[in-house]
Amino acid sequence: MKLFKDWFLIGMVLAVALAGWWPEPGAHGGALHPELLNKLGVALIFVLHGLTLSFQALKAGTLRYKLHLVVQLSTFLLFPIVGLGLVELGTGRVAPALVTGVFFLCALPSTVSSSVALTATARGNVPAAVFNATLSSLLGVVLTPLWLGLVLGAQGKGLPLGKVVLDLCLWLLLPLLVGQLLRPWFGAFAMRHKARISLIDRGTILLLVYTSFCDSVVGGVWVGQGMGTLFYAGAVALGLLGLVLACTAQIGRVLGFPIEDRIVAVFCGSKKTLAAGVPMARLIFGADPGLSLILLPLMIYHPLQLVVGGWLAGRWAARAENQTGEREAGQRKPS
């Protein structure tokens, strides 16, 4: 399966292991100076995203407003509402940072690359997928911290909302805009070398994962955390994915979407971004020693959504090929 061939997923495991074995360089005040390095890494990721993001493809997918509503409401309303229930369920039963991490997962925007790639594989509406995935990323800069501020405030934990949104604009949106402004000069080069740019992008995310876990190891967050923590995070991730996949598929059928748009609703409406989620967590939660527990549900959800999404995309692609073959066979029959 592709999951086991994906060096990035293996890299995440190795980054966590390295943090457990040698946390000092990546911890607060360490030799890597993560206070500055993390922000520069976040900026680099979003400059690269801006270079490779085509707004012409984005414009082509703007007309399906019902589909866009379904995807964005799934991402920023359905997920957080379910997350509120999970917060109630987990409070007092698991570590507070893990409860925060579950809701952080629910409040995140959708992915861009995997949503579009899976939609293309499944023969779905690719322009609509590009539009929704990109719109979700932009809305998440405001809606993700708003949801977190609401929930953490209700728990008596302060979140400096104005500073968080300002940081997200400064280190996410501004670099994204810089990347877009550089497209006339470097866009073609970036597209020709997209695979190499992806290596830089993913390598930077692995560095952020490493430094996130370093602080937690040095702070003793993992002391006393057993298999129950992993089981809880895994069960939540699997349950969330199954629920939202079922809901988006059913809503698409009820609204009479063509199969190409239902594919977009399912993939874009159920995905959560690791590529932007890790940088956002670093900016929102800073040097919180519980950051690794906050990221744990997202790090489990990420490979799950790829495995299940890949299986669904393969089924839809096979169905599309069979239908195409049947039509061609019908056309060849003598009248």
Side-chain angles (χ1 to χ4, degrees):
M1 292 178 65
K2 184 180 178 182
L3 173 65
F4 300 105
K5 298 177 182 178
D6 192 335
W7 66 268
F8 179 63
L9 298 177
I10 298 171
M12 282 201 299
V13 175
L14 294 177
V16 172
L18 180 61
W21 175 63
W22 193 32
E24 290 79 11
H28 188 77
L32 290 177
H33 300 288
E35 306 84 359
L36 176 62
L37 183 66
N38 289 330
K39 289 185 176 181
L40 293 177
V42 170
L44 174 62
I45 288 170
F46 282 87
V47 168
L48 296 177
H49 283 189
L51 273 175
T52 56
L53 181 63
S54 169
F55 269 81
Q56 290 180 339
L58 180 63
K59 183 179 178 182
T62 58
L63 300 178
R64 308 274 190 172
Y65 70 93
K66 287 184 180 179
L67 172 61
H68 307 332
L69 279 174
V70 169
V71 171
Q72 302 308 323
L73 289 176
S74 173
T75 303
F76 294 115
L77 187 61
L78 174 60
F79 261 109
I81 287 174
V82 176
L84 289 173
L86 292 171
V87 167
E88 291 297 319
L89 181 66
T91 301
R93 295 180 175 86
V94 296
L98 186 57
V99 175
T100 300
V102 168
F103 192 78
F104 176 65
L105 166 64
C106 293
L108 281 171
S110 182
T111 64
V112 176
S113 57
S114 64
S115 292
V116 174
L118 289 171
T119 298
T121 300
R123 311 294 194 270
N125 186 339
V126 173
V130 173
F131 177 85
N132 276 287
T134 306
L135 177 62
S136 177
S137 296
L138 298 176
L139 291 175
V141 174
V142 175
L143 295 181
T144 297
L146 281 177
W147 267 116
L148 286 169
L150 175 67
V151 172
L152 295 179
Q155 294 177 338
K157 304 173 185 176
L159 180 69
L161 195 58
K163 181 180 183 302
V164 166
V165 173
L166 181 62
D167 270 356
L168 292 175
C169 290
L170 179 63
W171 296 102
L172 271 69
L173 283 187
L174 183 59
L176 186 71
L177 176 61
V178 169
Q180 276 290 297
L181 292 175
L182 292 174
R183 271 184 66 84
W185 295 278
F186 300 105
F189 175 85
M191 296 308 294
R192 286 197 307 270
H193 297 87
K194 198 168 184 179
R196 293 181 181 178
I197 287 177
S198 178
L199 287 176
I200 299 172
D201 176 53
R202 291 185 167 199
T204 306
I205 293 170
L206 292 180
L207 178 62
L208 297 180
V209 169
Y210 167 70
T211 57
S212 299
F213 274 75
C214 286
D215 276 327
S216 301
V217 172
V218 170
V221 170
W222 289 94
V223 175
Q225 301 293 336
M227 291 302 295
T229 298
L230 288 174
F231 178 80
Y232 177 81
V236 165
L238 185 60
L240 263 176
L241 182 60
L243 175 64
V244 177
L245 284 172
C247 287
T248 50
Q250 185 61 29
I251 291 170
R253 280 192 289 266
V254 169
L255 294 178
F257 288 169
I259 184 64
E260 293 82 6
D261 286 0
R262 295 208 316 261
I263 289 170
V264 175
V266 167
F267 286 138
C268 293
S270 66
K271 295 289 176 291
K272 290 295 179 177
T273 176
L274 181 76
V278 173
M280 288 179 78
R282 292 282 349 180
L283 293 176
I284 292 172
F285 299 105
D288 188 328
L291 184 56
S292 63
L293 280 178
I294 293 172
L295 286 173
L296 183 61
L298 173 60
M299 292 178 65
I300 294 175
Y301 192 90
H302 175 75
L304 277 177
Q305 69 182 4
L306 293 181
V307 171
V308 176
W311 176 71
L312 288 173
R315 290 192 63 186
W316 268 315
R319 179 184 299 176
E321 289 172 1
N322 288 337
Q323 290 174 346
T324 300
E326 289 171 1
R327 284 196 300 268
E328 291 175 351
Q331 292 171 358
R332 287 195 299 266
K333 286 181 180 179
S335 56

